[in-house]
Amino acid sequence: MSEQRDRTSDEAIYQAVRTAIVDHRLRPGDRLPEDTLGQTFGVSRTSIRKVLQRLSIDRLVVQRPRRGAEVNRPTARQAADVFANRRLLECGSIPAVVRHFTPEHHRDLHALVQREQAARRAGDRSAAIKHSADFHTQLMAVTDNELTRAFVEQLSSLSSLIIAVYGTHQSIGCDCGEHDELLRLLEAGAVEQAERWMDHHLREIEASLEFADAPREAPDFSTLFDDSEIAS
């Protein structure tokens, strides 16, 4: 029973830290000390180490010699690789998306688009980036191919980190194309046009990135996480 509680706790902490990274409350380059996180969550450093190892597999965290773990800060080369793989997977999956596309899919994806647009209007950049990533992941779920969906989810999470650091207003704005445009093409069964739209969309986001460093203070873990984030 105790082992089950430990697994539940580790999973809850993993989800809490992962969400904080994807939501940009923990930013690329932020250090993740095992002792401080252990105190924050009330668990051992061993538990935190397991969580950080999982996040390293997801490539959301990197382990630095003599520095410990920190939120991944992708390089320009890594960003290019991420977007190249996204184009390969997402453009190549459009025919499968069209084959499986239903009115229910359109409804759910349109709801995400509305949330993304509302976040942009409100000036909530982090939420807009998150909703955009969710749109792409949910779109790949339409293919009924779990591996494709999982790969795109991981790449979208990395893209969110990249855009959070290097993105401009164009990276999440209409200059890169509204997702509603894609939904109209999918609904019409316009495979080739939808493929071209996705390719252009992803290339425009990548082209909008500006690779410059910006200073950031260390995060305060005691205020970053509350009890609700690790409730089992």
Side-chain angles (χ1 to χ4, degrees):
M1 193 69 175
S2 175
E3 183 179 349
Q4 177 63 36
R5 282 198 301 271
D6 288 345
R7 285 200 297 268
T8 302
S9 177
D10 289 352
E11 177 64 23
I13 295 169
Y14 164 80
Q15 292 295 341
V17 177
R18 186 183 188 283
T19 298
I21 294 172
V22 173
D23 287 352
H24 313 118
R25 288 179 287 124
L26 284 172
R27 301 293 299 273
D30 281 348
R31 296 184 65 182
L32 303 169
E34 292 176 4
D35 54 351
T36 306
L37 283 170
Q39 292 170 7
T40 300
F41 289 110
V43 297
S44 68
R45 293 181 63 174
T46 300
S47 292
I48 296 299
R49 192 171 298 121
K50 291 177 183 176
V51 168
L52 295 176
Q53 286 171 347
R54 285 185 65 186
L55 291 165
S56 295
I57 293 172
D58 293 342
R59 300 195 179 184
L60 295 178
V61 165
V62 292
Q63 303 278 353
R64 305 286 190 194
R66 295 182 297 278
R67 280 182 58 86
E70 62 185 49
V71 179
N72 189 14
R73 187 181 186 92
T75 64
R77 173 59 187 272
Q78 290 169 334
D81 289 344
V82 165
F83 279 96
N85 279 283
R86 285 192 64 179
R87 289 193 298 273
L88 183 66
L89 281 169
E90 296 186 57
C91 296
S93 296
I94 291 296
V97 171
V98 170
R99 283 197 305 272
H100 292 91
F101 204 67
T102 67
E104 289 74 20
H105 291 136
H106 186 283
R107 179 199 63 207
D108 294 342
L109 288 162
H110 179 65
L112 273 176
V113 172
Q114 289 181 311
R115 289 198 285 274
E116 178 191 357
Q117 292 170 343
R120 288 212 311 260
R121 288 193 298 268
D124 190 343
R125 186 169 178 270
S126 292
I129 295 171
K130 180 181 184 299
H131 293 319
S132 177
D134 289 345
F135 175 91
H136 284 265
T137 300
Q138 192 163 318
L139 181 67
M140 292 299 102
V142 176
T143 66
D144 201 28
N145 185 320
E146 176 56 25
L147 280 177
T148 297
R149 187 211 61 78
F151 287 148
V152 170
E153 180 178 30
Q154 185 180 50
L155 290 169
S156 293
S157 293
L158 287 170
S159 297
S160 293
L161 292 182
I162 292 164
I163 294 170
V165 179
Y166 305 116
T168 65
H169 76 280
Q170 295 170 320
S171 303
I172 55 172
C174 60
D175 289 351
C176 295
E178 294 284 3
H179 286 132
D180 263 341
E181 296 174 19
L182 177 61
L183 293 182
R184 286 192 288 272
L185 294 173
L186 296 174
E187 194 171 35
V191 173
E192 292 185 5
Q193 287 176 277
E195 288 173 338
R196 288 196 295 272
W197 188 98
M198 182 66 79
D199 181 79
H200 176 75
H201 177 68
L202 293 172
R203 288 183 186 278
E204 285 294 300
I205 294 173
E206 183 181 3
S208 74
L209 302 175
E210 295 180 354
F211 292 93
D213 292 330
R216 176 173 166 82
E217 295 182 359
D220 181 354
F221 296 112
S222 63
T223 58
L224 185 64
F225 298 107
D226 58 37
D227 291 341
S228 66
E229 300 227 37
I230 56 172
S232 58

